[in-house]
Amino acid sequence: HRAHIKAQLKSSQMSLRDVIAVSEFDDAVAGMRVVSVLEALPGIGHVKAAALMETCGVATSRRLRGLGPHQAEALFRALDRRGQ
């Protein structure tokens, strides 16, 4: 299930907003690490994902279920600036 979500992110069929919305009712998705979700986005690898998380004040060990609304919004804004 997680691999399917990542594949949809990679092919731009889902956005980070979509994945976070799904994580609210799907425990499998809620347990995914934020960094691995970011790395699944097109054009974002390990280094860019780590930089985004640091800029937005999100710990590298954070899982989607533990992502606060302010942290999520900071990630959305940072990705919007990058054109994601």
Side-chain angles (χ1 to χ4, degrees), residues 17-39:
R17 287 182 193 271
D18 297 333
V19 174
I20 290 175
V22 169
S23 75
E24 292 179 19
F25 60 86
D26 187 330
D27 286 338
V29 176
M32 293 174 72
R33 290 181 46 203
V34 175
V35 71
S36 69
V37 172
L38 291 175
E39 289 171 358

Side-chain angles (χ1 to χ4, degrees), residues 1-81:
H1 183 61
R2 292 177 181 187
H4 179 68
I5 295 289
K6 287 182 181 182
Q8 287 186 314
L9 280 167
K10 186 62 86 178
S11 65
S12 299
Q13 293 176 347
M14 288 185 85
S15 68
L16 180 61
R17 287 182 193 271
D18 297 333
V19 174
I20 290 175
V22 169
S23 75
E24 292 179 19
F25 60 86
D26 187 330
D27 286 338
V29 176
M32 293 174 72
R33 290 181 46 203
V34 175
V35 71
S36 69
V37 172
L38 291 175
E39 289 171 358
L41 291 168
I44 297 185
H46 183 71
V47 173
K48 288 181 184 175
L52 275 171
M53 291 185 66
E54 183 177 334
T55 300
C56 296
V58 180
T60 56
S61 61
R62 178 75 59 205
R63 298 195 181 267
L64 288 176
R65 109 174 8 102
L67 196 61
H70 296 292
Q71 291 174 322
E73 199 55 45
L75 286 170
F76 298 149
R77 282 193 308 271
L79 289 171
D80 286 344
R81 284 191 300 266

